[in-house]
Amino acid sequence: MSSEGVRSALWLKLREQLEMTRVEIKMARPLLVLLLLVVLVMQGCLTTAKKVLPLNDRPPRIALVLGGGSSRGFAHVGVIRVLEQEKIPIDMIVGTSVGSLIGAIYAANPNSFELEWLAFELEKDDIFDFSILSSKTGPVKGNKLEKFITEHVKIRHIEEMKIPYYAMAVDLNTGESVVLEKGPVELAVRASASIPGIFTPLNINDRILVDGGVNGSIAPETAREKGADIVIAVNIGKDITNYETGNIVQITLQAIDIMGKRIDEYKNRQADILIEPEVGNVGTMDFSKKKELMVAGIEAGQKAIPAIKAAIAKWYTTPVAQR
């Protein structure tokens, strides 16, 4: 065969091989595309998996924050009854003024029935002991209040409470909020409820302490500091209208309520659930409407239950890093 024939034969063979390669590539293309898609999907899954944050399976720590408001504090009893009936766990109680009194009774003995029974027996004379001799710093000595706590709260020291308990007071000299979390229960309540100008201030650890309501009738920020995940605050100072201002005690209480309301407008926003019983028609020194106040607390508590349960459900479905 001539050299020209050999070149032609080689060229034909080369063309055949190229055509076969082109066919093989064409056939393999769908497989390559499929393989590429699989790789991309797997990479996406891995990336997504990296972004999934763990959920916390421990129950949330729920704080009950009870505000001040003198006799209107009977509404706290109604709220507590609802929480207990709905089996809402209470992991800590933060109380201010009358909230510290109701809170101490319940923290020592978490039984809403016995709390109600004791509340119905409580009268103004059980906690107010007026004395001309102590009028230089306040006409009410506070001894009766201490005695009432000693007789009805069987746990002597705050550290031994069945529910962790914190009473709020204010340092009269510095204006600082003071959290009472150790020591005798009766002294903590006495300090937390020492309304300036009415009760004689109490000296604890070289600090002159007065009613915690001076810095706001509720203390949700303290609940957060103590580790609460969900804060339920009960503010009984929503409506400060009060026409019972005929003596120095009533005038002082009304003045404190007015000032406290301005502070509470800010503090209310720090609670996850805010409960505000309709108690504005009851004077702060009126002990004759206990049942009415408790019913107001029950009604307000029942309205808040869906929001409380929603907050608990959200806790279990929110990634830890987003809390």
Side-chain angles (χ1 to χ4, degrees):
M1 182 182 295
S2 66
S3 59
E4 184 70 26
V6 172
R7 282 199 298 271
S8 297
L10 289 173
W11 174 246
L12 287 173
K13 189 172 182 180
L14 179 61
R15 286 185 62 184
E16 289 176 359
Q17 290 178 345
L18 289 172
E19 188 64 29
M20 289 178 64
T21 302
R22 189 180 296 113
V23 171
E24 289 174 355
I25 292 174
K26 187 175 182 180
M27 293 178 63
R29 186 176 297 164
L31 293 175
L32 290 172
V33 171
L34 181 59
L35 180 61
L36 179 60
L37 287 173
V38 170
V39 171
L40 290 174
V41 169
M42 289 180 67
Q43 184 178 7
C45 290
L46 290 172
T47 303
T48 303
K50 290 178 182 177
K51 293 182 180 179
V52 174
L53 299 173
L55 301 178
N56 199 337
D57 57 358
R58 71 166 177 82
R61 292 180 290 269
I62 301 176
L64 179 61
V65 177
L66 302 176
S70 296
S71 63
R72 294 175 180 177
F74 289 111
H76 290 319
V77 179
V79 173
I80 290 173
R81 180 212 270 194
V82 172
L83 296 178
E84 190 176 284
Q85 288 177 340
E86 293 290 334
K87 295 180 171 51
I88 303 298
I90 299 175
D91 300 297
M92 72 175 74
I93 295 175
V94 179
T96 301
S97 197
V98 69
S100 73
L101 171 60
I102 300 298
I105 296 170
Y106 192 72
N109 179 23
N111 185 312
S112 64
F113 177 79
E114 293 188 18
L115 175 63
E116 285 184 38
W117 187 264
L118 180 58
F120 272 116
E121 291 184 336
L122 179 63
E123 297 295 341
K124 189 188 305 183
D125 290 340
D126 291 327
I127 55 178
F128 287 94
D129 48 353
F130 290 91
S131 171
I132 298 176
L133 296 176
S134 62
S135 59
K136 182 179 179 181
T137 53
V140 179
K141 295 184 294 183
N143 294 341
K144 277 193 174 183
L145 177 57
E146 288 185 35
K147 182 181 179 183
F148 180 85
I149 293 296
T150 302
E151 291 178 349
H152 295 93
V153 177
K154 301 308 178 184
I155 292 178
R156 297 272 66 84
H157 291 88
I158 295 174
E159 305 95 303
E160 301 166 0
M161 289 290 203
K162 294 180 181 178
I163 298 175
Y165 166 81
Y166 307 94
M168 300 303 301
V170 171
D171 187 315
L172 184 60
N173 298 119
T174 66
E176 296 175 279
S177 290
V178 178
V179 183
L180 299 169
E181 52 188 315
K182 294 181 180 179
V185 178
E186 69 274 13
L187 294 183
V189 174
R190 162 79 167 78
S192 181
S194 290
I195 305 165
I198 298 178
F199 277 81
T200 300
L202 188 64
N203 189 323
I204 297 181
N205 297 326
D206 295 325
R207 303 187 80 172
I208 307 300
L209 303 181
V210 295
D211 194 305
V214 171
N215 281 347
S217 65
I218 58 172
E221 72 284 358
T222 298
R224 297 287 187 200
E225 290 168 4
K226 299 303 178 182
D229 301 306
I230 297 175
V231 176
I232 304 170
V234 186
N235 192 331
I236 51 177
K238 176 184 177 182
D239 186 352
I240 58 173
T241 302
N242 179 17
Y243 295 100
E244 295 182 9
T245 53
N247 58 53
I248 186 62
V249 173
Q250 293 171 338
I251 291 171
T252 302
L253 287 171
Q254 179 64 1
I256 291 173
D257 286 345
I258 292 170
M259 291 185 290
K261 182 174 176 60
R262 304 303 171 219
I263 300 172
D264 291 345
E265 288 174 356
Y266 165 74
K267 287 197 170 190
N268 286 344
R269 296 194 291 269
Q270 299 181 42
D272 295 294
I273 296 94
L274 178 64
I275 301 176
E276 296 182 291
E278 297 292 339
V279 295
N281 60 322
V282 180
T284 53
M285 289 293 288
D286 187 352
F287 279 64
S288 68
K289 297 180 179 178
K290 300 170 189 173
K291 184 175 181 180
E292 182 179 329
L293 290 165
M294 290 183 198
V295 170
I298 290 171
E299 292 174 350
Q302 290 171 337
K303 289 179 183 177
I305 289 301
I308 294 172
K309 291 184 176 180
I312 295 173
K314 183 180 178 181
W315 163 263
Y316 287 108
T317 57
T318 301
V320 176
Q322 295 181 17
R323 295 193 183 121

